């Protein structure tokens, strides 16, 4: 586990990463990332653009394959014991509705392993990476948490991430960004968050 950094904002080096799903980010999310980067730079942090290596182009699909493939076993007990009360989405996973094959799952595991090593290699060059937290502003109402595409890759990589509000969207709802660290870098990332959150969440 990494220890807390103990750094001030002026001592931090932050990578700004649009990521492989930038094309899905709505205008307010794209603007929030740029605004957060400008605020950090104005506060004295070293801010650099970061482009991820080519294998990350497949990380979203790999996460989908792992999610659905592992769901076959993860929900099998509930499927057998309480089939009628199990949500159709989970029944579909057990029944392999998505037709995930063994080679597909193995390929997704391999890509995830490669990307984990590539991601960890970015540190300690950076103290954290700044990236979009969501497609757009927070959804209105409680019926939906929104599209998780800007979170799924970090789940698959097993890395810590912390969302920070940056501005508000067209409906007055928060629009956030997130900082991400390496595997087992939770303590250090919390320390970075304590330093950068007041700068990013200036509103």
């Amino acid at each position: 586990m990494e220890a807390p950094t103990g750094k001030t904002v002026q001592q931090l080096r932050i990578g700004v990463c649009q990521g492989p799903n930038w094309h899905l980010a709505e205008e307010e999310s794209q603007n929030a990332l740029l605004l957060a980067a400008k605020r950090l730079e104005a506060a004295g942090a070293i801010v650099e653009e970061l482009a991820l290596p080519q294998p990350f182009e497949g990380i979203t699909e790999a996460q989908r394959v792992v999610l659905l493939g592992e769901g076959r076993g993860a929900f099998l007990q509930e499927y057998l014991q309480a089939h009628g009360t199990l949500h159709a989405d989970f029944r579909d996973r057990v029944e392999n509705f998505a037709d995930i094959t063994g080679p597909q799952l193995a390929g997704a595991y391999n890509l995830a392993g490669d990307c984990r090593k590539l991601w960890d290699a970015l540190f300690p060059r950076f103290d954290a990476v700044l990236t979009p937290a969501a497609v757009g502003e927070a959804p209105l109402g409680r019926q939906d948490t929104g599209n998780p595409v800007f979170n799924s890759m970090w789940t698959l990589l097993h890395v810590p991430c912390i969302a920070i509000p940056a501005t508000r969207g067209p409906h007055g709802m928060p629009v956030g960004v997130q900082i991400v660290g390496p595997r087992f870098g939770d303590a250090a990332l919390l320390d970075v968050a304590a330093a950068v959150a007041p700068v990013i969440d200036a509103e």
Side-chain angles (χ1 to χ4, degrees):
M1 297 292 290
E2 288 190 8
T5 65
K7 293 182 179 180
T8 65
V9 172
Q10 293 79 11
Q11 296 172 309
L12 294 175
R13 184 181 295 271
I14 305 294
V16 180
C17 180
Q18 296 178 351
N21 297 303
W22 182 249
H23 63 286
L24 298 175
E26 296 173 4
E27 184 178 3
E28 62 265 27
S29 188
Q30 294 186 4
N31 289 341
L33 183 68
L34 300 177
L35 177 63
K38 287 179 181 178
R39 287 175 175 169
L40 288 171
E41 194 168 35
I46 299 172
V47 176
E48 297 180 10
E49 290 189 13
L50 170 64
L52 295 176
Q54 190 279 331
F56 283 88
E57 293 299 318
I59 198 71
T60 302
E61 174 60 13
Q63 190 274 339
R64 185 191 74 86
V65 170
V66 170
L67 178 72
L68 297 177
E70 291 186 347
R72 297 168 68 180
F75 301 104
L76 180 59
Q77 182 175 346
E78 291 82 1
Y79 180 90
L80 294 174
Q81 294 181 347
H83 184 275
T85 59
L86 192 63
H87 191 282
D89 179 55
F90 299 124
R91 293 200 299 266
D92 286 346
R93 295 186 195 191
V94 174
E95 295 169 3
N96 196 19
F97 183 80
D99 198 27
I100 302 298
T101 67
Q104 276 183 295
L105 195 54
Y109 286 146
N110 290 340
L111 180 69
D114 291 342
C115 287
R116 287 173 190 142
K117 290 183 285 186
L118 290 169
W119 178 259
D120 286 348
L122 295 172
F123 304 88
R125 172 187 167 195
F126 295 111
D127 294 291
V129 172
L130 181 72
T131 190
V135 170
E137 69 179 332
L140 295 170
R142 300 180 180 179
Q143 75 286 348
D144 186 10
T145 57
N147 186 339
V149 70
F150 284 102
N151 309 111
S152 60
M153 66 180 284
W154 310 122
T155 300
L156 185 61
L157 295 181
H158 301 163
V159 296
C161 49
I162 299 173
I164 303 168
T167 186
R168 292 190 178 272
H171 298 100
M173 299 298 286
V175 183
V177 294
Q178 60 186 336
I179 55 171
V180 189
R183 287 180 292 176
F184 309 110
D186 305 54
L189 191 67
L190 285 168
D191 214 34
V192 173
V196 303
V199 176
I200 293 174
D201 190 12
E203 300 178 14

